[in-house]
Amino acid sequence: MTYYLGIDIGTSGTKTVLFDLNGAAVASSTEEYPLYQPQNGYAEQEPRDWANAVLNTISDVMKKSGIDKSAVKGIGLSGQMHGLVMFNKDNQVIRPAIIWCDQRTAKECNEITERVGAQRLISITANPALTGFTASKILWVRNNEPENYKKCAHILLPKDYIRFILTGEFATEVSDASGMQLLDVPNRCWSDEVLERLEIDRKLLPRVYESPEITGGITAEIAERTGLCEGTPVVGGAGDNAAAAIGTGTAEDGKAFTTIGTSGVVYAHASKLSIDPKGRVHTFCCAVPNCWHIMGVTQGAGLSLKWFRDRFCEAEKQTAKSMDIDEYMLMDREAEQSPIGSNRLLYLPYLMGERTPHLDPNARGVFFGLSAMHEKRDLIRAVMEGVSFSLRDCLEVFREMGVSVNDMAACGGGGTSSLWRQMLADLYNCPISVSESKEGPALGAAILAMVGTGAYKSVPEACKVLVKTKQSCIPNIENVPVYERYYRLYRKLYPALREHFAALSALDI
């Protein structure tokens, strides 16, 4: 039997999973690490923490599995996107990594837009300038820490820093590089035009590979430390969402997935390039060679339900604790007692502003239609429906772009709720499936390693064999038109409130 490692370098921790050739998880290990916020809006991590977690979890997995190291035939990497890791000429990290959720770069985003041009930037990088992306972080260091910028000899993303630790190679791959805002996304290479206009030396950037391509092999030092064989191949891998797509089988046209975590993501595969000229959704290269993905993000998805739970559901928490069950299960049961439309109550899930389709940091959460007749169960259902409406907003942008979806998978914490899945099926008017595997990005990374080392001919072929669904939720034909009427009303609320959100934000308190 042959085995493959999938390593997912997340924000809260790293998870390493050993899979067999059938995609079954044999052993896994997780190690957490801290996030540092030296100022309001800042978010940083120490790259060495990631490295230690990766090396420790690989070693732990090898010990737990008891397999011979020669049986591990390949390694795939997945990781948090957009982070900035800077090396000096001696290959030492210069400063803590500025990670994806850092918000310090608004000024630099304006600078990027001015230097490149708003529409030209979207046509090349497929996205408007955003604070989360890497290019604005590079400019922030140059503008605010010139001595550190002068020392910089190499720039890497988080998972690609791990690749350097494992192999000694400076390399990235197209899906993660797409989130740097320096890649020519249509042509899958660094953009000389953007680099020139931003005055960033191309020599700072690593070589770009396709996701299943082999980028290097495990060094002798790392082999001794982890229990692997020297030379074990490491493939390009993918950014976290692109890897999760492979782990859920989203590798062909018509396939998509919805994640309801803290934020909500709707992700669709596309074999043809499609870019939203309004910049409402992200277009990135995906982990399938010569294909792309479209991704919409709503900021306050699972966060909205967690916020409501923490503020108003203490009784449910206590009851769930005494019954040794999840409090969200009790909240689902309450929401099921409220009809579609929550007795004419709508919720806008903009607790953290919004990204898709309204790129508006001033947007805020709203209960619309609240009356004395409403009970807690109506509010719970309204929150779940409001999040579902916001995810449907993402799907509507896809449809405008000519990207069709007929097979949708559900993942994340919200995806475990049968009620929420049914809402999505009815609103999307599309079946919703759930993957048997819970490993998501780690499985996707391992599949890329299997393809890169020749175990499977292509990523879609591997997904057909390895990714299995355990259930499917079918749209209720009676519910579909009812939800459609509520959704049409929901869509009118943000435009009516947009200027008032801005006025509220501007109030001097």
Side-chain angles (χ1 to χ4, degrees), residues 322-341:
S322 66
M323 297 173 65
D324 195 26
I325 60 173
D326 188 345
E327 57 257 37
Y328 286 115
M329 185 182 298
L330 294 182
M331 293 170 68
D332 269 12
R333 291 176 186 173
E334 289 183 76
E336 286 171 344
Q337 297 173 38
S338 181
I340 292 175

Side-chain angles (χ1 to χ4, degrees), residues 324-395:
D324 195 26
I325 60 173
D326 188 345
E327 57 257 37
Y328 286 115
M329 185 182 298
L330 294 182
M331 293 170 68
D332 269 12
R333 291 176 186 173
E334 289 183 76
E336 286 171 344
Q337 297 173 38
S338 181
I340 292 175
S342 310
N343 283 312
R344 296 187 175 87
L345 180 64
L346 295 175
Y347 171 73
L348 305 185
Y350 306 146
L351 298 184
M352 303 295 290
E354 192 51 298
R355 283 172 67 180
T356 304
H358 315 297
L359 189 57
D360 185 354
N362 295 321
R364 290 295 179 266
V366 174
F367 279 108
F368 176 77
L370 190 63
S371 75
M373 70 159 288
H374 287 115
E375 299 185 27
K376 186 190 293 186
R377 63 188 178 218
D378 299 313
L379 274 74
I380 296 172
R381 186 178 186 108
V383 168
M384 297 175 74
E385 289 181 337
V387 169
S388 302
F389 292 144
S390 71
L391 294 167
R392 165 72 182 274
D393 273 346
C394 299
L395 196 59

Side-chain angles (χ1 to χ4, degrees), residues 21 29 33 60 71-72 96 101 118 148 170 186 207 245 270 352 364 366 412 450 452 461 465 507:
L21 194 55
S29 180
Y33 31 71
D60 190 36
V72 178
C101 52
N148 281 335
F170 289 106
R207 178 179 172 182
M352 303 295 290
R364 290 295 179 266
V366 174
M450 295 178 195
E461 177 194 272
V465 174
L507 284 178

Side-chain angles (χ1 to χ4, degrees), residues 435-450:
S435 175
E436 282 187 2
S437 174
K438 296 181 180 180
E439 301 302 346
L443 175 59
I447 289 173
L448 294 171
M450 295 178 195

Side-chain angles (χ1 to χ4, degrees), residues 232-293:
T232 302
V234 178
V235 300
D240 48 9
N241 279 301
I246 304 306
T248 58
T250 307
E252 296 178 284
D253 285 346
K255 289 184 176 289
F257 71 83
T258 296
T259 297
I260 303 178
T262 300
S263 61
V265 171
V266 184
Y267 175 117
H269 179 90
S271 59
K272 295 181 180 179
L273 177 69
S274 183
I275 298 174
D276 176 33
K278 298 179 183 178
R280 293 169 295 177
V281 296
H282 303 312
T283 296
F284 290 158
C285 301
C286 79
V288 181
N290 301 313
C291 293
W292 291 264
H293 71 254

Side-chain angles (χ1 to χ4, degrees), residues 4 16 158 183 196 207 260 279 298 307 322 383 406 450 461:
Y4 297 83
T16 296
L183 193 79
E196 182 178 338
R207 178 179 172 182
I260 303 178
T298 182
W307 164 80
S322 66
V383 168
N406 52 42
M450 295 178 195
E461 177 194 272

Side-chain angles (χ1 to χ4, degrees), residues 57-76:
T57 53
I58 292 175
S59 179
D60 190 36
V61 161
M62 294 301 292
K63 289 175 182 176
K64 285 179 178 177
S65 69
I67 66 166
D68 188 275
K69 61 184 180 180
S70 63
V72 178
K73 300 300 183 182
I75 299 170

